[in-house]
Amino acid sequence: MSLNSASTAATVTTPVHSLLVPFPVVCFTLALLTDIAFWQTGHIMWQNFSAWLLFAGIIAGVIAGLAGMLEFLFRRERRRQGAVWLHVVGYILVFGLAFVNNLVHAADGWTAVVPYGLILSAATVLLTILFALLGRATLYRRQSGVSGYE
């Protein structure tokens, strides 16, 4: 056997969008934490941080979504995954919720965060965790060789 012989093992690549998804996840989680800080202190700085973190998370999420859409369109193996549509719908729901949350945070004063902004931030983080686990399970299932056998 020569060193230059090609391997017959399947090459598994990590989807590019999965490398970008942690950015909005971190932004939304930090927005929840800054909402809690605003709720506890009443300092307007925390409300501003939350609004900017939500905005940055939405922008990063749009970039990750575009990367995911391009992978879906141009990489045939991505379309064969069964849970991909639930994953897509879930993240659209998360980013829609984050957008509404950003509109709530655009108001002035205490009512921009307490109680609706805080509730929306918590719901965004919980849904993000839920759909991230779903996406991770799909990725793990494909990369570990559990699926794809006939």
Side-chain angles (χ1 to χ4, degrees), residues 34-49:
T34 55
D35 280 350
I36 293 170
F38 178 75
W39 175 43
Q40 294 300 312
T41 65
H43 197 286
I44 197 74
M45 169 189 69
W46 296 115
Q47 179 190 0
N48 293 334
F49 284 170

PDB file of all heavy atoms in Angstrom, residues 34-49:
ATOM      1  N   THR A  34     -27.805  41.359  30.865  1.00  0.00           N
ATOM      2  CA  THR A  34     -27.857  42.814  31.051  1.00  0.00           C
ATOM      3  C   THR A  34     -29.273  43.282  31.386  1.00  0.00           C
ATOM      4  O   THR A  34     -29.438  44.276  32.093  1.00  0.00           O
ATOM      5  CB  THR A  34     -27.310  43.559  29.810  1.00  0.00           C
ATOM      6  OG1 THR A  34     -28.019  43.136  28.653  1.00  0.00           O
ATOM      7  CG2 THR A  34     -25.828  43.318  29.632  1.00  0.00           C
ATOM      8  N   ASP A  35     -30.289  42.558  30.910  1.00  0.00           N
ATOM      9  CA  ASP A  35     -31.664  42.869  31.329  1.00  0.00           C
ATOM     10  C   ASP A  35     -31.839  42.617  32.823  1.00  0.00           C
ATOM     11  O   ASP A  35     -32.481  43.404  33.524  1.00  0.00           O
ATOM     12  CB  ASP A  35     -32.675  42.028  30.550  1.00  0.00           C
ATOM     13  CG  ASP A  35     -32.945  42.572  29.165  1.00  0.00           C
ATOM     14  OD1 ASP A  35     -32.497  43.693  28.861  1.00  0.00           O
ATOM     15  OD2 ASP A  35     -33.604  41.859  28.380  1.00  0.00           O
ATOM     16  N   ILE A  36     -31.280  41.525  33.295  1.00  0.00           N
ATOM     17  CA  ILE A  36     -31.351  41.220  34.735  1.00  0.00           C
ATOM     18  C   ILE A  36     -30.604  42.294  35.525  1.00  0.00           C
ATOM     19  O   ILE A  36     -31.083  42.747  36.577  1.00  0.00           O
ATOM     20  CB  ILE A  36     -30.810  39.811  35.019  1.00  0.00           C
ATOM     21  CG1 ILE A  36     -31.741  38.761  34.408  1.00  0.00           C
ATOM     22  CG2 ILE A  36     -30.624  39.578  36.512  1.00  0.00           C
ATOM     23  CD1 ILE A  36     -31.199  37.339  34.420  1.00  0.00           C
ATOM     24  N   ALA A  37     -29.445  42.726  35.010  1.00  0.00           N
ATOM     25  CA  ALA A  37     -28.691  43.787  35.685  1.00  0.00           C
ATOM     26  C   ALA A  37     -29.496  45.083  35.723  1.00  0.00           C
ATOM     27  O   ALA A  37     -29.508  45.791  36.736  1.00  0.00           O
ATOM     28  CB  ALA A  37     -27.348  44.005  34.992  1.00  0.00           C
ATOM     29  N   PHE A  38     -30.193  45.412  34.629  1.00  0.00           N
ATOM     30  CA  PHE A  38     -31.031  46.618  34.614  1.00  0.00           C
ATOM     31  C   PHE A  38     -32.181  46.491  35.602  1.00  0.00           C
ATOM     32  O   PHE A  38     -32.515  47.441  36.313  1.00  0.00           O
ATOM     33  CB  PHE A  38     -31.569  46.874  33.201  1.00  0.00           C
ATOM     34  CG  PHE A  38     -32.479  48.062  33.130  1.00  0.00           C
ATOM     35  CD1 PHE A  38     -31.962  49.351  33.169  1.00  0.00           C
ATOM     36  CD2 PHE A  38     -33.852  47.903  33.041  1.00  0.00           C
ATOM     37  CE1 PHE A  38     -32.796  50.460  33.116  1.00  0.00           C
ATOM     38  CE2 PHE A  38     -34.691  49.000  32.989  1.00  0.00           C
ATOM     39  CZ  PHE A  38     -34.170  50.278  33.027  1.00  0.00           C
ATOM     40  N   TRP A  39     -32.781  45.314  35.649  1.00  0.00           N
ATOM     41  CA  TRP A  39     -33.897  45.075  36.563  1.00  0.00           C
ATOM     42  C   TRP A  39     -33.446  45.269  38.015  1.00  0.00           C
ATOM     43  O   TRP A  39     -34.181  45.810  38.839  1.00  0.00           O
ATOM     44  CB  TRP A  39     -34.419  43.670  36.320  1.00  0.00           C
ATOM     45  CG  TRP A  39     -35.491  43.197  37.241  1.00  0.00           C
ATOM     46  CD1 TRP A  39     -36.583  43.880  37.684  1.00  0.00           C
ATOM     47  CD2 TRP A  39     -35.578  41.898  37.829  1.00  0.00           C
ATOM     48  NE1 TRP A  39     -37.348  43.089  38.499  1.00  0.00           N
ATOM     49  CE2 TRP A  39     -36.752  41.857  38.605  1.00  0.00           C
ATOM     50  CE3 TRP A  39     -34.791  40.760  37.761  1.00  0.00           C
ATOM     51  CZ2 TRP A  39     -37.135  40.727  39.317  1.00  0.00           C
ATOM     52  CZ3 TRP A  39     -35.182  39.638  38.461  1.00  0.00           C
ATOM     53  CH2 TRP A  39     -36.343  39.637  39.225  1.00  0.00           C
ATOM     54  N   GLN A  40     -32.226  44.831  38.317  1.00  0.00           N
ATOM     55  CA  GLN A  40     -31.729  44.920  39.687  1.00  0.00           C
ATOM     56  C   GLN A  40     -31.194  46.315  40.054  1.00  0.00           C
ATOM     57  O   GLN A  40     -31.284  46.713  41.206  1.00  0.00           O
ATOM     58  CB  GLN A  40     -30.626  43.876  39.916  1.00  0.00           C
ATOM     59  CG  GLN A  40     -31.131  42.448  39.850  1.00  0.00           C
ATOM     60  CD  GLN A  40     -32.190  42.162  40.897  1.00  0.00           C
ATOM     61  OE1 GLN A  40     -32.044  42.485  42.068  1.00  0.00           O
ATOM     62  NE2 GLN A  40     -33.291  41.566  40.466  1.00  0.00           N
ATOM     63  N   THR A  41     -30.622  47.025  39.077  1.00  0.00           N
ATOM     64  CA  THR A  41     -29.984  48.308  39.402  1.00  0.00           C
ATOM     65  C   THR A  41     -30.758  49.518  38.919  1.00  0.00           C
ATOM     66  O   THR A  41     -30.628  50.595  39.500  1.00  0.00           O
ATOM     67  CB  THR A  41     -28.570  48.375  38.783  1.00  0.00           C
ATOM     68  OG1 THR A  41     -28.683  48.366  37.365  1.00  0.00           O
ATOM     69  CG2 THR A  41     -27.701  47.230  39.261  1.00  0.00           C
ATOM     70  N   GLY A  42     -31.508  49.381  37.817  1.00  0.00           N
ATOM     71  CA  GLY A  42     -32.218  50.502  37.245  1.00  0.00           C
ATOM     72  C   GLY A  42     -31.321  51.457  36.470  1.00  0.00           C
ATOM     73  O   GLY A  42     -31.769  52.510  36.029  1.00  0.00           O
ATOM     74  N   HIS A  43     -30.064  51.098  36.279  1.00  0.00           N
ATOM     75  CA  HIS A  43     -29.126  51.958  35.554  1.00  0.00           C
ATOM     76  C   HIS A  43     -29.348  51.818  34.058  1.00  0.00           C
ATOM     77  O   HIS A  43     -29.336  50.722  33.518  1.00  0.00           O
ATOM     78  CB  HIS A  43     -27.684  51.598  35.929  1.00  0.00           C
ATOM     79  CG  HIS A  43     -26.708  52.660  35.575  1.00  0.00           C
ATOM     80  ND1 HIS A  43     -26.315  52.898  34.284  1.00  0.00           N
ATOM     81  CD2 HIS A  43     -26.060  53.567  36.348  1.00  0.00           C
ATOM     82  CE1 HIS A  43     -25.455  53.890  34.261  1.00  0.00           C
ATOM     83  NE2 HIS A  43     -25.282  54.320  35.502  1.00  0.00           N
ATOM     84  N   ILE A  44     -29.545  52.942  33.378  1.00  0.00           N
ATOM     85  CA  ILE A  44     -29.915  52.961  31.961  1.00  0.00           C
ATOM     86  C   ILE A  44     -28.837  52.340  31.068  1.00  0.00           C
ATOM     87  O   ILE A  44     -29.128  51.873  29.962  1.00  0.00           O
ATOM     88  CB  ILE A  44     -30.255  54.404  31.529  1.00  0.00           C
ATOM     89  CG1 ILE A  44     -31.030  54.418  30.209  1.00  0.00           C
ATOM     90  CG2 ILE A  44     -29.005  55.233  31.375  1.00  0.00           C
ATOM     91  CD1 ILE A  44     -32.430  53.987  30.352  1.00  0.00           C
ATOM     92  N   MET A  45     -27.599  52.316  31.531  1.00  0.00           N
ATOM     93  CA  MET A  45     -26.506  51.726  30.761  1.00  0.00           C
ATOM     94  C   MET A  45     -26.822  50.279  30.386  1.00  0.00           C
ATOM     95  O   MET A  45     -26.550  49.838  29.266  1.00  0.00           O
ATOM     96  CB  MET A  45     -25.212  51.788  31.576  1.00  0.00           C
ATOM     97  CG  MET A  45     -24.061  50.978  31.018  1.00  0.00           C
ATOM     98  SD  MET A  45     -22.680  50.892  32.158  1.00  0.00           S
ATOM     99  CE  MET A  45     -23.342  49.874  33.457  1.00  0.00           C
ATOM    100  N   TRP A  46     -27.426  49.523  31.295  1.00  0.00           N
ATOM    101  CA  TRP A  46     -27.729  48.115  31.038  1.00  0.00           C
ATOM    102  C   TRP A  46     -28.801  47.967  29.962  1.00  0.00           C
ATOM    103  O   TRP A  46     -28.760  47.030  29.164  1.00  0.00           O
ATOM    104  CB  TRP A  46     -28.149  47.417  32.325  1.00  0.00           C
ATOM    105  CG  TRP A  46     -27.056  47.376  33.338  1.00  0.00           C
ATOM    106  CD1 TRP A  46     -27.047  47.999  34.556  1.00  0.00           C
ATOM    107  CD2 TRP A  46     -25.806  46.703  33.221  1.00  0.00           C
ATOM    108  NE1 TRP A  46     -25.871  47.745  35.197  1.00  0.00           N
ATOM    109  CE2 TRP A  46     -25.086  46.942  34.401  1.00  0.00           C
ATOM    110  CE3 TRP A  46     -25.217  45.917  32.231  1.00  0.00           C
ATOM    111  CZ2 TRP A  46     -23.818  46.428  34.626  1.00  0.00           C
ATOM    112  CZ3 TRP A  46     -23.950  45.399  32.455  1.00  0.00           C
ATOM    113  CH2 TRP A  46     -23.266  45.662  33.638  1.00  0.00           C
ATOM    114  N   GLN A  47     -29.749  48.874  29.932  1.00  0.00           N
ATOM    115  CA  GLN A  47     -30.759  48.847  28.869  1.00  0.00           C
ATOM    116  C   GLN A  47     -30.109  49.094  27.511  1.00  0.00           C
ATOM    117  O   GLN A  47     -30.430  48.423  26.527  1.00  0.00           O
ATOM    118  CB  GLN A  47     -31.845  49.883  29.122  1.00  0.00           C
ATOM    119  CG  GLN A  47     -32.885  49.906  28.025  1.00  0.00           C
ATOM    120  CD  GLN A  47     -33.823  51.087  28.127  1.00  0.00           C
ATOM    121  OE1 GLN A  47     -33.707  51.909  29.015  1.00  0.00           O
ATOM    122  NE2 GLN A  47     -34.750  51.165  27.203  1.00  0.00           N
ATOM    123  N   ASN A  48     -29.185  50.035  27.452  1.00  0.00           N
ATOM    124  CA  ASN A  48     -28.474  50.307  26.199  1.00  0.00           C
ATOM    125  C   ASN A  48     -27.632  49.106  25.770  1.00  0.00           C
ATOM    126  O   ASN A  48     -27.597  48.769  24.581  1.00  0.00           O
ATOM    127  CB  ASN A  48     -27.590  51.552  26.344  1.00  0.00           C
ATOM    128  CG  ASN A  48     -28.400  52.807  26.522  1.00  0.00           C
ATOM    129  OD1 ASN A  48     -29.548  52.886  26.079  1.00  0.00           O
ATOM    130  ND2 ASN A  48     -27.830  53.790  27.189  1.00  0.00           N
ATOM    131  N   PHE A  49     -26.964  48.468  26.717  1.00  0.00           N
ATOM    132  CA  PHE A  49     -26.185  47.276  26.385  1.00  0.00           C
ATOM    133  C   PHE A  49     -27.092  46.190  25.816  1.00  0.00           C
ATOM    134  O   PHE A  49     -26.736  45.517  24.841  1.00  0.00           O
ATOM    135  CB  PHE A  49     -25.465  46.737  27.620  1.00  0.00           C
ATOM    136  CG  PHE A  49     -24.250  47.516  28.034  1.00  0.00           C
ATOM    137  CD1 PHE A  49     -23.641  47.249  29.240  1.00  0.00           C
ATOM    138  CD2 PHE A  49     -23.713  48.517  27.239  1.00  0.00           C
ATOM    139  CE1 PHE A  49     -22.507  47.944  29.647  1.00  0.00           C
ATOM    140  CE2 PHE A  49     -22.590  49.224  27.631  1.00  0.00           C
ATOM    141  CZ  PHE A  49     -21.985  48.938  28.847  1.00  0.00           C
TER     142      PHE A  49
END
